[in-house]
Amino acid sequence: MTDVEHPGATPPKVREISSRGHALLKDLRRLATDPGAYRKLGRVWLEGDHLAKALAARGGRPSLAVVGASAWLQPRWRALALAAPEVVVLDDALLGEVSSLETAGPFGLLMDLPEQAAPPRAGVSALVLDRLQDPGNVGTLLRSAAALGVPQVIALKGCAALWSPKVLRSAMGAHFALHLVEGVEADALDALGLPLLATSSHGAQALHTTHLPWPCAWVLGHEGQGVDAGLLARCALTLTIPQPGGEESLNVAAAGAICLYESARQRLMP
Amino acid sequence: MTDVEHPGATPPKVREISSRGHALLKDLRRLATDPGAYRKLGRVWLEGDHLAKALAARGGRPSLAVVGASAWLQPRWRALALAAPEVVVLDDALLGEVSSLETAGPFGLLMDLPEQAAPPRAGVSALVLDRLQDPGNVGTLLRSAAALGVPQVIALKGCAALWSPKVLRSAMGAHFALHLVEGVEADALDALGLPLLATSSHGAQALHTTHLPWPCAWVLGHEGQGVDAGLLARCALTLTIPQPGGEESLNVAAAGAICLYESARQRLMP
């Protein structure tokens, strides 16, 4: 069967694991439950078929597929698993223990963590995340950056871990379309050589009436405190999102979507 | 002390509850853990001081304040509690049991659920939520509607419960600035007398180059499936959000923020 699915290629190595104490399972449990474990282990755990397909669509390569014993009997999951160079078939009961989901799926991939020493890319438009705490917000912002044409995301020190299971789930595969940098100090932004833009309720100019530079780096800040004052002072523009509804505030991922959309709109308009 | 804080007004009735089996505690536990319990009980449980202040800022009136015994000794919390017509001082240990938060705060309000038979308001711009499942998305969208000048939100049958603790937390007080309608069928939208607008990846026109009608009703759909096909067919405009980044998709709350911003931008531009 494998030589049909991999014509001419080396068929993947397939092994079964049914022992809870296996070293691989220990690693997977850590990756599923500890948001920062990927940094220590150098590997990322991608649960479910959506992330697998998103990775493949961007030409990414997993190191290992993990599939439940029941799913392994189904052609759909078997084909997905056999696209990896190595397959582990796991007791269904054990699979639930390595999931970060309420309802565990029957499938996941391990991939090597992309190079973390990669510095910010100079001159490439970026989204800068200053101490964002909520993984759902971070994931949503990664998705917006990928869709709205911002190819680079830089998470400053203190930001939620970019490759954690919750951020991965919320970003729906956007990770694989972006150049991601994390754990850097704000000083590293100088190397971008780009104007920094931020929103602020005390912003000097309104977003919708200001000509926005491109390329640029949009800075978004902590859910409660906003952008750090020192960083805000370094921004070339601080902009106010018009709020005809009054003095309400926007969720940071909603504000980010609006800023990246306005940036895109101005580029696309003749 | 109370006659200083309530000059000329009837001082609130204050009572202590230290029994886990008290009927009020049973209700609060239900409200904190069951997202739809407010419909049966006709009351909403607002945890924390932020929601209390947001309610007061909009002139809303709670029916009861619940404050932990330790917090009751502190002037800040005492003053907040005494703004309600009735105060319950609760054993600190019991307070944690009526919280939906990981770390319980020392304070909450009960308010009567606003009139649920209220129909959609004809001619008033609205955000229509079609079967959205994630409370964080729903709360974020309520916040965006309040900030960007859409005064009415209509949740169709099958949408996450608008007054659940998670939606309340995520909306940060936007509930009190909006006319909220929930549990209605799509046919009820006819009574609005407004053009329906939706986004669709197969949309006929691009959002950023289309003149948008105002007032209008923006329709946002289920996280995975989008807007129901029958409802989409009734929309006057189906619009595509430009995605210079490629074929990625946007989180529904990010897409909603962009649509409401573009609507506001066009109204505000000369």
Side-chain angles (χ1 to χ4, degrees):
Chain A
M1 191 165 176
T2 56
D3 55 2
V4 174
E5 285 155 353
H6 285 257
T10 313
K13 185 176 143 196
V14 178
R15 59 190 164 127
E16 292 183 36
I17 295 181
S18 54
S19 155
R20 175 166 289 118
H22 193 284
L24 175 68
L25 286 193
K26 287 184 187 167
D27 283 356
L28 290 179
R29 274 194 294 269
R30 274 185 74 187
L31 291 169
T33 55
D34 173 358
Y38 67 85
R39 291 173 184 153
K40 288 159 210 145
L41 298 176
R43 294 194 288 181
V44 176
W45 175 222
L46 309 172
E47 284 190 72
D49 56 340
H50 183 88
L51 288 176
K53 287 171 186 164
L55 178 68
R58 294 283 174 175
R61 288 281 292 164
S63 57
L64 176 76
V66 177
V67 59
S70 302
W72 179 241
L73 302 176
Q74 299 171 35
R76 170 191 167 208
W77 295 108
R78 181 181 281 255
L80 209 57
L82 288 170
E86 195 179 337
V87 177
V88 164
V89 180
L90 205 58
D91 264 19
D92 289 340
L94 291 179
L95 196 65
E97 297 180 11
V98 301
S99 175
S100 66
L101 308 174
E102 277 179 39
T103 310
F107 180 81
L109 293 179
L110 263 181
M111 63 173 271
D112 292 336
L113 181 64
E115 181 57 68
Q116 287 302 287
R121 289 185 185 154
V124 174
S125 286
L127 180 64
V128 176
L129 306 180
D130 173 32
R131 296 166 300 131
L132 266 75
Q133 298 303 298
D134 182 80
N137 283 340
V138 172
T140 297
L141 284 164
L142 263 59
R143 240 175 124 177
S144 294
L148 295 164
V150 176
Q152 175 165 235
V153 177
I154 302 167
L156 302 183
K157 268 194 179 140
C159 186
L162 292 188
W163 293 89
S164 75
K166 282 185 183 175
V167 174
L168 278 161
R169 191 152 66 246
S170 155
M172 301 274 288
H175 286 73
F176 314 127
L178 295 165
H179 179 65
L180 299 177
V181 180
E182 65 175 338
V184 299
E185 303 282 356
D187 288 345
L189 300 177
D190 292 342
L192 285 174
L194 294 177
L196 302 180
L197 279 55
T199 62
S200 162
S201 48
H202 313 291
Q205 300 174 72
L207 175 69
H208 67 296
T209 54
T210 302
H211 176 74
L212 302 172
W214 185 262
C216 73
W218 277 102
V219 184
L220 292 167
H222 184 278
E223 284 85 354
Q225 300 156 21
V227 176
D228 168 77
L231 183 52
L232 198 60
R234 289 163 60 183
C235 288
L237 290 172
T238 56
L239 300 150
T240 303
I241 296 174
Q243 300 204 2
E247 302 278 313
E248 304 296 326
S249 67
L250 287 161
N251 162 279
V252 64
I258 288 170
C259 293
L260 300 191
Y261 165 77
E262 179 62 27
S263 247
R265 190 190 69 79
Q266 293 192 12
R267 300 199 299 286
L268 294 169
M269 292 303 277
Chain B
M1 187 166 179
T2 55
D3 55 1
V4 173
E5 284 156 351
H6 285 257
T10 313
K13 186 176 142 195
V14 179
R15 58 190 164 129
E16 292 183 36
I17 294 181
S18 55
S19 155
R20 176 167 288 117
H22 193 285
L24 175 67
L25 287 192
K26 286 184 188 167
D27 282 357
L28 290 178
R29 274 194 294 268
R30 274 184 74 186
L31 291 169
T33 55
D34 172 358
Y38 67 84
R39 291 174 184 152
K40 287 161 211 142
L41 298 177
R43 293 193 290 182
V44 175
W45 175 221
L46 309 172
E47 283 190 73
D49 56 340
H50 183 89
L51 287 177
K53 287 169 186 165
L55 178 67
R58 293 283 174 177
R61 288 283 291 162
S63 57
L64 175 77
V66 177
V67 59
S70 303
W72 179 240
L73 301 176
Q74 300 171 34
R76 171 191 167 209
W77 295 109
R78 182 183 281 255
L80 209 56
L82 289 172
E86 195 179 339
V87 178
V88 163
V89 180
L90 206 57
D91 264 17
D92 290 342
L94 291 179
L95 196 65
E97 298 180 10
V98 300
S99 175
S100 65
L101 308 173
E102 279 178 40
T103 311
F107 181 79
L109 293 178
L110 263 181
M111 64 172 270
D112 292 335
L113 181 64
E115 181 56 67
Q116 287 302 287
R121 288 186 186 155
V124 174
S125 285
L127 180 64
V128 176
L129 307 180
D130 173 32
R131 294 166 302 131
L132 267 76
Q133 298 301 299
D134 183 81
N137 283 340
V138 172
T140 297
L141 284 165
L142 263 59
R143 242 176 123 176
S144 294
L148 295 164
V150 175
Q152 173 165 237
V153 177
I154 302 168
L156 301 183
K157 267 194 179 139
C159 185
L162 292 188
W163 292 90
S164 76
K166 284 187 181 173
V167 173
L168 278 161
R169 192 152 65 247
S170 158
M172 301 274 288
H175 286 74
F176 313 127
L178 295 165
H179 180 66
L180 299 176
V181 181
E182 67 176 337
V184 298
E185 303 282 356
D187 288 344
L189 301 176
D190 292 342
L192 286 173
L194 295 176
L196 302 180
L197 278 57
T199 63
S200 162
S201 49
H202 313 292
Q205 299 174 75
L207 175 69
H208 66 296
T209 55
T210 301
H211 175 73
L212 302 172
W214 186 263
C216 73
W218 277 101
V219 184
L220 292 167
H222 183 278
E223 283 85 353
Q225 300 157 20
V227 176
D228 169 77
L231 183 52
L232 199 60
R234 290 164 58 184
C235 288
L237 289 172
T238 57
L239 300 150
T240 304
I241 296 174
Q243 300 204 1
E247 303 276 314
E248 304 297 326
S249 67
L250 288 161
N251 163 278
V252 64
I258 289 169
C259 293
L260 300 192
Y261 165 76
E262 179 61 28
S263 246
R265 191 190 68 80
Q266 292 192 12
R267 299 199 299 285
L268 293 168
M269 291 303 277

